[in-house]
Amino acid sequence: MPSEINLSESCGATASLESFDGTAISYRQLGSGPPVVLVHGSGGGLHSWQPVAEHLAARFELWMPARRGYAPSGPGRSPKRFADEVGDLDALITKIGRPVHLVGMSYGATVALHAGASGLPVRSLVLWEPPLYAAGDELTPVRDEFAALTAKGDRRRADRLLAEKVARVPAALLELMDTGEPADSEPDDSPGWQRDLESMAADSADTGRWSTVTAPTLLMRGADTWQPMPATLDRLANALSHVTCTTFPGQMHFAPSVVPEAVAAEIIRFLPRS
């Protein structure tokens, strides 16, 4: 049994478990009620869902893992595949001991889709803008360039590469972004990003395959999120067999951090209380 370290009530307890291949997966757990697993996106970690989780903990038992590659979880094997992430969720759900609601943000929403299609005991899915267009061989040179840039310590150009080639941020927004050198106090998330790029490069952009997902699904988006995300989400909504769609006016891809209370309210509205 892993030892637990009690943090503040709002952060929950932190602990770790051993996944299928021996990788240590750290997680935080707080709240009570039906179990909900919150899966963070690329460049995230234990903190990513915290603003939303604070509005959910009175109704749900929340489990927030740091995905493999993101400290304090272990790095995992390379090259990583989405099947590895599903294996990690399988280990966590086994620990929980009950079917779960699975909530994913960005890349974490893609992980949730893979888990939903894999036969894991998932009661429902809540997805925030899975970047399903960012997949396949076209990402192989991006993966390799990112590795070269981070090996040289050039985080500014590495971050710009991700914004341009993976997130596909429009040029006008790129000009507004702060592309200065990251502060020394910022954690280095490049190992996690590198693993995520490995998974995306080996994946498919075919949205039709998600027709095999039968769990009730809430698909959330920002009204102002740039293309190709909106078109991708439209195709995903058409593929899913049991989907509810929600759009947040005036928001972009970052709404879970910008308007966490509103995002939490939609999750509460969708998920059953028991």
Side-chain angles (χ1 to χ4, degrees):
M1 294 289 291
S3 60
E4 293 189 351
I5 304 171
N6 290 324
L7 302 178
S8 69
E9 185 177 350
S10 64
C11 289
T14 189
S16 67
L17 58 82
E18 186 176 292
S19 192
F20 67 97
D21 62 351
T23 299
I25 301 298
S26 295
Y27 60 89
R28 285 179 178 164
Q29 189 273 318
L30 71 155
S32 61
V36 175
V37 176
L38 300 158
V39 187
H40 69 80
S42 295
L46 291 175
H47 62 283
S48 297
W49 277 109
Q50 192 66 36
V52 175
E54 291 172 1
H55 300 288
L56 299 177
R59 296 171 180 258
F60 303 104
E61 178 184 277
L62 304 176
W63 299 76
M64 294 174 284
R67 294 189 293 100
R68 60 175 54 212
Y70 292 92
S73 290
R77 58 190 178 184
S78 180
K80 190 187 74 175
R81 297 292 182 261
F82 278 107
D84 298 326
E85 309 258 25
V86 173
D88 297 338
L89 287 175
D90 188 14
L92 181 59
I93 295 171
T94 298
K95 177 177 179 58
I96 295 169
R98 293 174 286 165
V100 304
H101 301 289
L102 195 54
V103 181
M105 180 195 308
S106 192
Y107 176 100
T110 306
V111 173
L113 277 168
H114 279 273
S118 73
L120 291 187
V122 174
R123 294 180 62 189
S124 69
L125 297 175
V126 176
L127 310 175
W128 179 267
E129 295 194 345
L132 303 177
Y133 59 85
D137 290 341
E138 68 182 58
L139 282 183
T140 299
V142 178
R143 177 201 66 196
D144 295 343
E145 185 178 356
F146 181 81
L149 289 170
T150 54
K152 293 190 298 184
D154 193 343
R155 292 181 60 189
R156 184 191 64 78
R157 288 181 59 199
D159 288 347
R160 185 80 176 207
L161 174 71
L162 296 173
E164 289 180 330
K165 302 298 186 182
V166 181
R168 301 189 191 177
V169 177
L173 285 177
L174 281 172
E175 294 305 315
L176 297 176
M177 289 174 59
D178 177 13
T179 56
E181 292 291 348
D184 292 339
S185 59
E186 281 189 23
D188 182 8
D189 58 19
S190 57
W193 260 111
Q194 183 66 36
R195 295 287 192 273
D196 291 354
L197 288 169
E198 291 169 356
S199 295
M200 289 187 282
D203 202 30
S204 167
D206 173 27
T207 53
R209 60 185 166 149
W210 303 119
S211 62
T212 61
V213 174
T214 58
T217 301
L218 173 62
L219 184 59
M220 300 189 291
R221 69 172 78 182
D224 295 343
T225 298
W226 52 86
Q227 293 289 3
M229 182 69 79
T232 302
L233 297 180
D234 288 343
R235 290 194 296 272
L236 175 61
N238 288 332
L240 292 169
S241 61
H242 191 172
V243 63
T244 300
C245 296
T246 299
T247 300
F248 290 76
Q251 296 299 320
M252 292 189 290
H253 191 60
F254 318 106
S257 298
V258 176
V259 289
E261 188 170 4
V263 171
E266 288 299 321
I267 295 173
I268 290 170
R269 225 182 320 269
F270 179 75
L271 295 183
R273 291 290 301 274
S274 60

